[in-house]
């Protein structure tokens, strides 16, 4: 519970950096002995970054700004700082801050402030549990924010603040809701020290639209590419994100991070095959990875790979049982096995670990739908939507739940929301069309419009074309019906699928062309029908016979008539 | 978490509750005498008890009051005792300095309660019955305390510290001194010394500082009295580097001015009231929103809601209130979003009073969502969409066998059908209605509406939903007023039905609405009544004791308060009052239509005086409109405009409000009378703009606008155009079954043809109008149609003057009894003209028979400033005087005639402020 985002941030920062480092250093061309320094378990975060900087400023065509060099501004008060740092590492934040109370060096000030901030966060999370009222949790606040803001603002005004201080200042401002200033401060921080990924990710959480992103005044640095790639993914610009990441992969060939991000981007683009390959590769290199593995489990779920999913679940649970991702993977596994109650238990655990874990809410909603507990499902989906209003899956789930309850008109509202946020997903359009088609509403024109949209966005299950044809036939529009039947037929031929739909299409086309007096086409379809058994075959035969008679201008009758 | 119905009424112990517990302890201290120690009389004792009861029940706010508020209220309640009470509470609170004190305190409380067998009373000993309201409260407090974790107790202790500290700091220094001067100062001082002043104060100070800072509310420091702040400074030891930044902090807080909205988040010492109280508060607010409509403040309430949501994220009712707020401020998208959100979270089971039907609870009650959504679309003027949604609501409630919801939905559909003109419902009212409309869909809208109304009424009666029954009776009355009940089937044995509306049925329906009050028991919970009672009681604390009876004299105070007081707690809820009031409104309208001016006015007056507090602002405006219209018709424009001015001050003159429409109507009429045709046209156009609104089509307004358009054209003598407009209006009325309006339009057509000189063409229209009037019992309109008919006959030639006169005399009683100024004047004029054109009538023999009506007419027209008719009257007078050989009077009449003709031709610009106002606004 206490491993909150902020708490993780510095740690996360370190290991992200280290990952990149490894990603580069295995590149033989750029090999330097600096990994020994990494081994040493250093006293300074900064120094590690410096190694990174030396090795990796890429020689690409973009005019990057020269990498700023941090000068060591102080002779470190070695002992105090070291003591504080050890306290800090042991998570005794207030102790660490107390040790540094009289230190004025920039680094000491930062460490003290950061320790205070984390102490406040820790207390806040404890209080959140303690203060839980009868009507839900009330928001506890970090008590240190105001004093920190005051101190940092003064430092900022006097210009005696380093990029890390700026980062912390931005963090504090963001928590206090002063987003504009926070953005400004964070931009300043990353411009003067680009390797602080935490600052970048705070900045990312403050950029909720493309317009805000474009308004940022960021200097060109290769870290910016990471940032952009990541933010594009957040803003659902998956193609842009993917291309950025692929670019970056050229530089950091062996970076697990980039590999995982590429997998996630491809997952959003629904390219499951590639995603699976990437993740398999990733797991081979990094067998104890838990991060992002929930995406992998989603892929395995969609592909219904029982054993692979169970293997993955086993693996993560041995690595770290109390990670939201692990719980989610197990939930997925049980869901695939059809044991929805158990699956809900695990999703609940994931949510207990991280209340804002979006996909867990949505997946739990799906489970409740399976269990026919619609009110619970609706509640879960709604929570997902309130965490992130752009989550089209949850909107879709809401729509589905209401449709299940026989409220298609009410459900339409949710389907509309869902297609608004994800207009390229044919399944959403099909769901909406089915809603319009339902016997209660029976708004067929609207249904046709939706199916058309679905057919335009790569409908893999080929429902849309068939339904379009059927609807047009129902509305007595044979031309359009024939058009869509033909398209459907072509598609089925291309995918080599057989079935009742095929027969139906052939049957319709045959009769249609016959009534249109296009006998040649009709004959082609009739002959194809002859390959199938059942009543259609007989009908086809009689059709053929009828056509021959019509074509030959009643010759057969004559023959019969003049038979001796 | 998801899908689990939350247990309502979880109860948290807070500093405020602790102080209430202290007071309860005083109220029921285990002593042996009937009036315990500090109290001097029984009534004083009872008063405290009442106060405590009110404290635990009132729902006028979401937050618990602070100590200083409590102290202020105690001052009102305690009278002579107030010092003692406040001192006792504060000292008791500040003596709680360690967790163990709290344990002991709650143990003591337990002794206040009688045992379960408290039936055996010992002498006069005061013991709190554990099942009484206060006893329950005490028990819940004790239970809640026992359930607290140790951390929770620590928090409680800190919060009590802050609670006391805030009160002391916000007391004025005078108060402080007074507290010190009081007799108990020794005791309280020693109390303070006991608890290590330095330590406790410092701790609490730090805590408060941190909390205050955390939420950027510096007001505390700024208002701190000098003495106290020095005290604080003294105590603070400078070990903490933070305190040095105090001043800078204040500077930098202005830095973050962009986050005003975040200022609502909780600072220390903010606690929600009990769940019950909050629900009551929200219900009251919902009532207020519905009552005041758009004049309710949007943002202030939004802030409260946001705070509430922050403090209680699982209280989903907030979303519903937000929906209501947005709805009445015409914010479609937020309203829609919040409605969906509320029902997604609550499944329709939170906050609504309903009797759970057996067994089907797990489905949730989403049909209510559909009902609300339908009403929302109706409100925003999307009738077709509303009907679709309501149809789905009917289906879903049938499916879930939720009969109550079904009854309400049917009533809503009836309302929709009768309010909004549908020319056809085919294709909208579909299959789910088939069980009710088994006759088939070939029925007209009106017939469908009738069947629905009957069905809805029956359903409501069988479910014993009294309010709905009353509302349905009203709707039925409305239907009967304006529609003839035709047989539903056009084949089969034809019974001889007289095709008329029946006023008796209307009266009967209206009367059955009243039974609501007498029959009203406790449908709905008693919660609102209880809570409102306590709230009102607490509000009245501010007034001097004992003068409650006289509180009516205070004009600014809500009139219903004393009323609420003297009835018992089961006083009539506002919604019932509203319903009964609206039955009076219906009566007024009915009499208006039937043509009895005095009865219409009386009913309107009854409504305005008795139901003004319970009524919604739109209904209140409607009543004012009716009264002012009455004034204009019977007293002339001067008084009407004066009354309009006061009404405008009373009601917010938002666009499309009834008051604005009324103003336009009055201006139009006056302009027509004065002969300001340009102005009349302008005003008419403005009305047209209001009618062709984008939000919704108001059929009533639409007819009104085009009727006035035709009138203006008629006054401008553009007869063919006027006839065309009136004709198309008649077609529209026929299409939408607006039969009462049809009669008026037909009459207008007759007048147009008469004025254009085609009396023969006019006759059938007048006769048709007459027959409509007969069918619908529109007596006054019938009289005026008769008048027009007489005028038509007269214009056919002098040999028809006798016929005209007979017709006129037949209508005279009605016209003189109930008609307005204009109608009377026209009748007099016509009478005079009839006599004059009768060849067998000689003026010289009987001059007064002509002169008297002419003088009457001139008098009455004066108030209306109707130049055209006045000129006519004086002209006739002059001729009569000429015949009689009275030249002086002739000259006088002639000069008056000249004046009026002049002012008709040259409309001089005597503008008044009201008029220019409108034009500016336009």
């Amino acid at each position: 519970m206490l491993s909150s985002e902020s708490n993780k941030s510095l740690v996360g920062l370190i290991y992200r950096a280290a990952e990149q480092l490894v990603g580069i250093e295995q590149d033989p061309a750029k090999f330097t002995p600096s990994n020994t320094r990494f081994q040493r378990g250093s006293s300074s975060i900064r120094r590690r970054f410096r190694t990174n900087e030396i090795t990796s400023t890429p020689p690409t065509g973009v005019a990057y700004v020269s990498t700023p060099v941090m000068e060591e501004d102080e002779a470190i008060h070695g002992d105090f700082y070291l003591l504080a740092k050890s306290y800090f590492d042991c998570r005794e934040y207030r102790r660490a801050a107390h040790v540094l109370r009289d230190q004025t060096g920039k680094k000491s000030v930062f460490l003290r402030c950061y320790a205070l901030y984390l102490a406040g966060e820790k207390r806040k999370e404890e209080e959140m549990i303690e203060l839980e009222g009868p009507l839900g949790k009330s928001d506890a606040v970090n008590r240190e924010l105001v004093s920190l803001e005051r101190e940092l603002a003064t430092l900022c005004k006097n210009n005696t603040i380093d990029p890390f201080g700026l980062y912390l200042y931005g963090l504090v401002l963001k928590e206090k809701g002063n987003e504009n200033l926070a953005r400004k401060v964070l931009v300043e921080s990353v411009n003067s020290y680009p390797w602080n990924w935490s600052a970048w990710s705070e900045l990312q959480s403050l950029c909720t639209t493309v317009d805000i992103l474009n308004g940022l005044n960021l200097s060109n640095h290769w870290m910016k590419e990471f940032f952009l790639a990541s933010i594009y993914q957040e803003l659902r610009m998956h193609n842009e994100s993917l291309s950025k990441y692929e670019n970056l992969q050229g530089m950091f060939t062996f970076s697990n991070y980039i590999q995982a991000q590429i997998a996630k981007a491809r997952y959003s683009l629904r390219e499951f095959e590639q995603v699976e390959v990437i993740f398999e590769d990733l797991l081979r290199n990094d067998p104890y990875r838990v991060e992002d593995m929930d995406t992998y489990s989603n892929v395995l779920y969609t592909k219904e790979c029982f054993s692979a999913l169970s293997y993955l679940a086993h693996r993560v649970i041995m690595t770290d049982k109390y990670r939201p991702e692990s719980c989610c993977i197990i939930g997925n596994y049980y869901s695939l096995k059809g044991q929805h109650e158990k699956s809900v238990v695990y999703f609940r655990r994931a949510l207990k670990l991280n209340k804002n874990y979006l996909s867990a809410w949505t997946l739990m909603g799906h489970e409740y739908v399976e269990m026919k507990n619609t009110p619970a499902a609706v509640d879960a989906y709604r929570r997902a939507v309130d965490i992130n209003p752009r989550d089209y899956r949850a909107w879709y789930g809401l729509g589905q739940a209401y449709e299940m309850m026989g409220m298609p008109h009410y459900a339409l509202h949710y389907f509309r929301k869902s297609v608004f946020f994800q207009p390229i997903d044919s399944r959403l359009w099909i769901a909406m069309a089915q809603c319009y088609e339902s016997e209660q509403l029976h708004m067929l024109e609207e249904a046709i419009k939706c199916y058309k949209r679905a057919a335009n966005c790569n409908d893999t299950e080929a429902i849309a074309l068939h339904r379009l044809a059927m609807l047009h036939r129902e509305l007595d529009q044979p031309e359009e019906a024939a058009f869509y039947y033909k398209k459907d037929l072509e598609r089925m031929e291309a995918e080599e699928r057989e079935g009742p739909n095929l027969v139906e299409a052939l049957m319709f086309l045959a009769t249609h062309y016959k009534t249109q007096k296009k006998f040649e086409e009709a004959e082609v379809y009739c002959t194809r029908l002859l390959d199938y058994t059942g009543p259609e075959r007989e009908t086809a035969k009689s059709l053929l016979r009828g056509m021959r008679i019509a074509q030959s201008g009643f010759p057969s009758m004559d023959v019969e008539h003049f038979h001796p | 978490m998801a899908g689990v119905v939350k247990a309502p009424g979880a109860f948290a112990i807070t500093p405020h509750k602790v102080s209430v517990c202290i007071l309860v302890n005083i109220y029921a201290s285990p002593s042996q005498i009937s009036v315990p120690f500090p109290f001097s009389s029984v009534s004083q004792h009872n008063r405290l008890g009442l106060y405590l009861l009110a404290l635990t029940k009132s729902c006028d706010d979401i937050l618990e009051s602070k100590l200083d508020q409590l102290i202020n209220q105690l001052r009102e309640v305690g009278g002579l005792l107030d010092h003692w009470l406040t001192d006792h509470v504060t000292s008791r609170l500040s003596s709680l300095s360690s967790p163990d004190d709290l344990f002991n305190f709650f143990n003591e409380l337990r002794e206040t309660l009688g045992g379960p067998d408290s039936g055996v009373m010992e002498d006069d000993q005061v013991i709190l019955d554990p099942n009484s309201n206060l006893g329950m409260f005490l028990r819940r407090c004790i239970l809640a305390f026992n359930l607290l974790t140790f951390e929770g107790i620590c928090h409680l202790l800190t919060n009590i510290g802050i609670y006391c500290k805030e009160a002391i700091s916000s007391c004025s220094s005078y108060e402080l001194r007074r507290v010190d001067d009081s007799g108990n100062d020794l005791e309280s001082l020693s109390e303070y010394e006991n608890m290590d002043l330095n330590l406790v104060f410092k701790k609490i100070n730090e805590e408060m500082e941190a909390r205050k800072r955390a939420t950027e509310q510096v007001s505390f420091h700024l208002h701190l009295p000098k003495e106290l702040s020095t005290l604080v400074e003294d105590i603070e030891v400078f070990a903490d580097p933070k305190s040095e930044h105090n001043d800078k902090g204040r500077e930098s807080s202005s830095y973050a001015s962009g986050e005003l909205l975040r200022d609502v988040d909780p600072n220390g010492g903010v606690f929600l009231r009990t769940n019950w109280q909050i629900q009551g508060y929200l219900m009251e607010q919902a009532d207020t929103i519905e009552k005041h409509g758009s004049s309710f403040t949007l943002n202030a309430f939004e802030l409260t809601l946001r705070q509430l949501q922050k403090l209680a994220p699982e209280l989903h009712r907030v979303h519903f209130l937000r929906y209501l707020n947005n709805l009445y401020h015409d914010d479609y998208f937020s309203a829609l979003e919040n409605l969906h959100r509320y029902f997604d979270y609550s499944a329709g089971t939170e906050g609504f009073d309903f009797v759970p039907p057996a067994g089907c609870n797990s489905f949730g009650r989403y049909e209510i969502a559909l009902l609300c959504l339908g009403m929302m679309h109706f409100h925003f003027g999307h009738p077709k969409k509303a009907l679709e949604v309501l149809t789905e609501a009917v289906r879903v409630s049938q499916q879930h066998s939720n009969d109550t919801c079904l009854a309400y939905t049917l009533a809503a559909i009836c309302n929709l059908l009768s309010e909004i003109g549908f020319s056809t419902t085919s294709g909208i009212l579909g299959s789910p209605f088939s069980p009710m409309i088994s006759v088939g869909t070939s029925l007209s809208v009106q017939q469908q509406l009738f069947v629905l109304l009957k069905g809805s009424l029956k359903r409501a009666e069988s479910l014993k939903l009294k309010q709905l029954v009353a509302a349905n009776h009203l709707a039925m009355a409305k239907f009967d007023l304006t529609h003839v009940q035709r047989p539903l089937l056009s084949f089969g044995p034809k019974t001889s039905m007289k095709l008329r509306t029946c006023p008796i049925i209307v009266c009967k329906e209206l009367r059955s609405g009243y039974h609501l009050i007498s029959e009203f028991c406790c449908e709905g919970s008693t919660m609102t009544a209880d809570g409102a009672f306590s709230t009102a009681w607490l509000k009245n604390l501010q007034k001097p004791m004992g003068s409650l009876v006289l509180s009516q004299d205070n004009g600014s105070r809500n009139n219903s308060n004393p009323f609420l007081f003297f009835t018992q707690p089961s006083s009539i809820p506002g919604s019932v009052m509203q319903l009964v009031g609206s039955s009076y409104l219906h009566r007024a309208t009915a009499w208006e239509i039937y043509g009895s001016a005095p009865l219409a006015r009386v009913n309107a007056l009854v409504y305005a005086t008795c139901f003004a507090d319970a009524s919604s602002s739109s209904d209140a405006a409607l009543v004012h409109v009716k009264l002012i219209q009455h004034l204009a018709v019977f007293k002339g424009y001067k008084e009407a405009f004066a009354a309009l001015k006061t009404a405008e001050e009373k009601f917010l003159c938002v666009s499309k409000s009834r008051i604005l429409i009324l103003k336009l109507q009055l201006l139009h009429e006056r302009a027509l009378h004065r002969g300001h045709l340009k102005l009349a046209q302008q005003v008419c156009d403005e009305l047209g703009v209001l009618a062709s609104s984008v939000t919704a089509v108001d059929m009533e307004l639409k007819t009104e606008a085009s009727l006035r358009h035709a009138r203006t054209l008629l006054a401008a003598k553009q007869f063919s155009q006027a006839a065309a407009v009136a004709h198309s209006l008649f077609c529209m009325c026929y299409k939408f079954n607006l039969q009462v309006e049809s009669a008026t339009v037909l009459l207008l057509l007759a007048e147009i043809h008469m004025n254009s000189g085609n009396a023969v063409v006019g006759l059938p229209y007048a006769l048709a109008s007459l027959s409509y009037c007969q069918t619908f019992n529109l007596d006054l309109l019938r009289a005026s149609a008769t008048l027009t008919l007489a005028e038509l006959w007269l214009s056919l030639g002098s040999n028809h003057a006798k016929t005209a006169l007979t017709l006129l005399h037949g209508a005279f009683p009605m016209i003189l009894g109930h008609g307005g100024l204009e109608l009377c004047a026209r009748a007099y004029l016509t009478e005079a003209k009839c006599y004059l054109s009768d060849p067998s009538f000689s003026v010289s023999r009987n001059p007064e028979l002509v002169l008297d009506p002419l003088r009457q007419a001139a008098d009455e027209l004066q108030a209306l400033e109707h130049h055209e008719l006045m000129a006519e009257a004086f002209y006739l007078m002059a001729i009569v005087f000429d015949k009689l050989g009275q030249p002086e009077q002739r000259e006088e009449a002639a000069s008056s005639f000249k004046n009026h003709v002049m002012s008709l031709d040259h409309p001089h610009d005597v503008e008044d402020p009201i008029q220019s106002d409108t034009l500016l606004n336009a």
Side-chain angles (χ1 to χ4, degrees), chain A residues 123 127 130-131 134-139 141 143 146-147 149-150 169 175-178 181 348 361 364 368 375-376 378-380 382-383 386 395 398 402 405-410 413-414 417 440-441, chain B residues 1-3 10 151 155 207 210-211 213-214 216 242 245 248-249 252 255 259 262 275 310-316 336-337 340-341 343-345 362-364 366 369-370 373 388-389 392 395-396 399:
Chain A
R123 185 70 204 130
E127 273 183 3
E130 289 168 18
L131 292 176
L135 291 167
K137 299 184 180 189
S138 52
D139 267 359
V141 285
R143 303 276 172 72
V146 180
S147 60
E149 187 195 351
R150 194 176 301 154
Y169 187 35
E175 296 272 303
K176 298 217 42 135
N178 192 352
L181 189 65
R348 268 177 191 279
W361 280 118
M364 195 162 83
Y368 277 126
V378 165
D379 190 297
R382 174 46 87 168
R383 275 165 210 274
D386 278 351
W395 285 117
L398 276 169
Y402 281 110
M405 285 188 282
M407 298 161 73
H409 198 280
Y410 201 76
H413 171 80
Y414 298 101
K417 284 261 185 194
Q440 292 101 330
L441 291 184
Chain B
M1 205 175 266
E151 293 96 318
H155 278 290
E207 184 78 27
R211 290 195 186 187
R213 280 194 225 125
E216 286 292 1
K242 274 189 291 178
H245 298 294
K248 287 174 202 158
S252 68
Y255 195 50
E259 38 179 327
R262 277 177 64 94
N275 199 356
K310 195 136 204 189
L311 289 172
E314 293 293 323
L315 184 73
H316 304 307
L336 187 68
E337 196 49 49
H340 279 285
R341 180 173 290 139
F343 283 101
D344 286 347
Y345 274 130
S362 61
F363 290 122
Y366 295 100
L370 286 169
L373 187 65
E388 281 168 11
V389 176
E392 188 159 298
R395 198 183 42 239
V396 175
Q399 203 175 314

Side-chain angles (χ1 to χ4, degrees), chain A residues 330-436:
Chain A
I330 300 163
N332 264 339
Y333 174 65
Y334 275 124
S335 171
L336 192 60
K337 293 297 269 185
Q339 302 192 9
H340 302 295
E341 285 83 0
K342 278 193 183 166
S343 156
V344 165
V345 169
Y346 280 96
F347 285 126
R348 268 177 191 279
R349 189 187 285 176
L351 287 167
K352 197 119 201 172
L353 292 168
N354 178 7
K355 199 166 178 276
N356 290 339
Y357 190 10
L358 192 63
S359 56
W361 280 118
T362 316
L363 292 174
M364 195 162 83
H366 293 333
E367 295 313 305
Y368 277 126
V369 168
E370 293 290 333
M371 290 158 70
K372 301 272 180 293
N373 186 354
T374 16
V378 165
D379 190 297
Y381 285 133
R382 174 46 87 168
R383 275 165 210 274
V385 162
D386 278 351
I387 292 167
N388 182 1
R390 309 172 66 90
D391 183 19
Y392 68 94
R393 285 187 197 85
W395 285 117
Y396 170 72
L398 276 169
Q400 253 186 338
Y402 281 110
E403 204 187 352
M404 263 172 64
M405 285 188 282
M407 298 161 73
H409 198 280
Y410 201 76
L412 275 177
H413 171 80
Y414 298 101
F415 283 132
R416 252 179 242 135
K417 284 261 185 194
S418 138
V419 293
F420 176 77
F421 290 117
Q422 181 76 351
I424 56 159
D425 194 331
S426 60
R427 292 168 304 165
L428 308 181
W429 287 108
I430 288 173
M432 192 156 150
Q434 280 166 348
C435 213
Y436 275 120

Side-chain angles (χ1 to χ4, degrees), chain A residues 235-343:
Chain A
L235 294 173
R236 306 199 155 278
M237 300 157 69
H238 300 301
N239 284 320
E240 289 85 342
S241 167
L242 191 60
S243 69
K244 283 264 180 228
Y245 276 127
E246 275 168 351
N247 243 340
L248 282 168
Q249 204 175 24
M251 285 174 255
F252 302 91
T253 328
F254 295 97
S255 163
N256 291 336
Y257 169 76
I258 293 175
Q259 219 175 345
Q261 295 310 313
I262 288 176
K264 272 162 87 174
R266 286 197 186 278
Y267 174 74
S268 311
L269 293 168
R270 305 179 54 74
E271 299 169 357
F272 296 141
E273 302 289 337
Q274 286 109 308
V275 179
E276 198 185 355
V277 173
I278 297 174
F279 272 120
E280 275 167 9
D281 189 40
L282 197 59
L283 270 185
R284 220 170 295 129
N285 295 332
D286 189 3
Y288 297 103
R289 189 184 179 98
V290 179
E291 203 186 359
D292 301 325
M293 282 301 131
D294 48 339
T295 314
Y296 183 36
S297 81
N298 287 344
V299 174
L300 292 176
Y301 180 89
T302 350
K303 299 186 58 138
E304 301 188 8
C305 304
F306 287 90
S307 65
L309 190 52
S310 76
Y311 178 68
L312 179 67
H314 186 196
R315 195 138 109 176
V316 291
I317 209 152
M318 298 314 271
T319 314
D320 190 348
K321 180 178 166 189
Y322 292 110
R323 284 276 288 269
E325 288 93 342
S326 320
C327 300
C328 200
I329 293 168
I330 300 163
N332 264 339
Y333 174 65
Y334 275 124
S335 171
L336 192 60
K337 293 297 269 185
Q339 302 192 9
H340 302 295
E341 285 83 0
K342 278 193 183 166
S343 156

Side-chain angles (χ1 to χ4, degrees), chain B residues 641-848:
Chain B
F641 275 113
L644 180 65
K645 220 165 202 173
T646 50
E648 267 181 330
E649 278 161 21
K650 195 164 172 187
F651 299 99
L652 214 60
C653 207
V654 279
S655 68
K656 272 209 91 169
S657 77
R658 292 182 189 277
I659 299 285
L660 179 63
I661 292 168
L662 171 73
K663 192 186 195 177
L664 291 176
Q665 287 170 344
L666 289 181
L667 282 174
H668 181 250
E669 262 158 43
R670 190 173 63 172
L672 275 189
H673 286 166
R674 283 182 172 175
H676 299 189
L677 292 183
K678 273 216 178 104
L679 177 64
Q681 187 54 47
Q682 210 172 333
V683 174
C684 196
D685 289 343
E686 270 184 50
L687 259 180
V689 170
L690 287 183
S692 72
S693 126
V694 197
T695 50
V697 180
D698 186 343
M699 289 304 284
E700 207 180 328
L701 192 57
K702 204 173 165 185
T703 0
E704 169 97 32
S706 54
L707 197 66
R708 284 180 189 274
H709 185 46
R711 283 244 159 82
T712 319
L713 287 173
L714 171 62
K717 304 214 174 348
Q718 296 178 336
F719 300 115
S720 58
Q721 282 184 44
V725 172
H727 185 76
S728 70
L729 178 58
F730 178 73
C731 292
M732 190 186 82
C733 287
Y734 186 79
K735 187 177 167 196
F736 289 102
N737 278 298
L738 305 169
Q739 281 150 337
V740 177
E741 284 80 0
S742 300
T744 324
V745 179
L746 282 173
L747 188 59
L748 179 67
L749 270 170
E751 273 173 42
I752 292 171
H753 287 298
M754 179 176 72
N755 285 346
S756 66
N758 279 330
V760 187
V761 187
L763 270 176
Y765 286 112
L767 288 172
S769 175
L770 258 183
S771 82
Y772 262 109
C773 291
Q774 232 155 358
T775 313
F776 290 95
N777 294 296
L778 314 172
D779 290 347
L780 187 62
L781 195 62
R782 188 174 158 204
S784 94
T786 319
L787 175 62
T788 309
L789 197 61
E791 286 172 333
L792 281 167
W793 278 116
L794 190 62
S795 53
L796 278 181
S798 56
N799 46 346
H800 295 291
K802 270 255 160 46
T803 330
L805 202 59
T806 339
L807 276 173
L808 192 58
H809 281 158
F812 247 129
M814 190 64 203
I815 292 178
L816 295 185
H818 296 283
L821 294 174
E822 190 187 352
L823 196 61
C824 290
R826 261 179 61 205
Y828 282 129
L829 258 181
T830 314
E831 193 194 11
K833 278 200 291 197
C834 280
Y835 283 125
L836 286 176
S837 54
D838 189 353
S840 60
F841 179 80
S842 106
V843 179
S844 47
R845 206 182 310 148
N846 206 350
E848 283 308 305

Side-chain angles (χ1 to χ4, degrees), chain B residues 471-491:
Chain B
N472 273 327
H473 276 302
L474 285 187
M476 209 56 188
K478 203 165 150 196
F479 182 85
D480 286 332
L481 190 64
T482 48
H483 297 289
V484 177
Q485 290 180 20
R486 287 168 204 277
L488 289 178
L489 295 176
S490 49
F491 53 88

